[in-house]
Amino acid sequence: MTIDIESLSLRELGALVVAAEQRKALITTRRPAAAVRRLLKAAAAEAGYTIEELFGEGAAEDAAPARRPARRKSAKVAPKYRDPEYKRLTWSGRGRMPRWLAAKVSKGHKVTDFLIPGLARPTAGKTSAIGKRTVIKKA
C-alpha cells in the first residue's frame, strides 16, 4: 500500500495520522500470535480435542507462518595467496581481488609472487576465445 503524501490535504493528513495512531495502539496492545496459538492448543487439549479436529486438517499448517528456504552457504576455501609482510592477509582466489593484493599488483608485482608455496597453484584465467582475433595462415 502506497500513499502519496504530497497530494493529501491538511484534513486528509490529520485523518491519516489519527488512523495510524489507532492502528499502532491496537498492534502494541494485542498479544503475539504465538502466545494466542499456545493458549488455543492448551484449551483444545483441556477439552480433549486437537487443533486439527476443531479447525480442520490445514489449521496447523496455516497457523505457522510460511518461511523462506534458507540460503545455502558456500563452503570455506583454503587460501591460495598470502601477503609476505602480514601473514594474516590471505585470499582464496575467488571473488574480487583484495585491496592489499591489488595495490601490490599495481606496483609491478605479479599475482603468482604471492602464492602459498606447496599449497596452491595459480587461479586459471579465462580460456574463452570469444572476442579474440585469430590469424589463420593459408599455405
Side-chain angles (χ1 to χ4, degrees):
M1 180 175 130
T2 307
I3 299 174
D4 184 20
I5 296 176
E6 299 295 326
S7 65
L8 296 179
S9 68
L10 184 61
R11 178 178 284 169
E12 292 170 333
L13 280 173
L16 181 64
V17 168
V18 169
E21 288 174 350
Q22 288 174 351
R23 179 70 180 154
K24 182 180 176 185
L26 173 74
I27 290 174
T28 56
T29 57
R30 70 181 185 184
R31 292 182 186 172
V36 173
R37 190 176 304 119
R38 280 194 301 270
L39 288 173
L40 287 174
K41 283 184 180 180
E46 188 176 307
Y49 293 101
T50 63
I51 294 292
E52 291 80 17
E53 289 176 329
L54 295 176
F55 297 108
E57 292 295 320
E61 298 158 4
D62 294 341
R67 294 186 181 187
R68 292 183 187 177
R71 286 183 60 186
R72 191 173 146 215
K73 290 191 173 187
S74 58
K76 288 272 189 175
V77 180
K80 286 185 178 182
Y81 303 94
R82 176 175 285 138
D83 188 1
E85 297 172 18
Y86 304 103
K87 302 288 185 189
R88 294 186 73 190
L89 297 178
T90 59
W91 181 45
S92 66
R94 293 186 179 183
R96 290 183 62 182
M97 186 182 294
R99 287 183 286 198
W100 65 267
L101 187 56
K104 298 209 182 216
V105 169
S106 68
K107 290 181 182 176
H109 293 283
K110 294 181 183 176
V111 176
T112 55
D113 296 340
F114 300 98
L115 280 170
I116 298 173
L119 294 179
R121 289 177 287 163
T123 304
K126 292 183 180 179
T127 58
S128 174
I130 297 174
K132 293 183 180 178
R133 292 184 180 198
T134 56
V135 179
I136 300 173
K137 293 184 178 180
K138 294 183 180 179

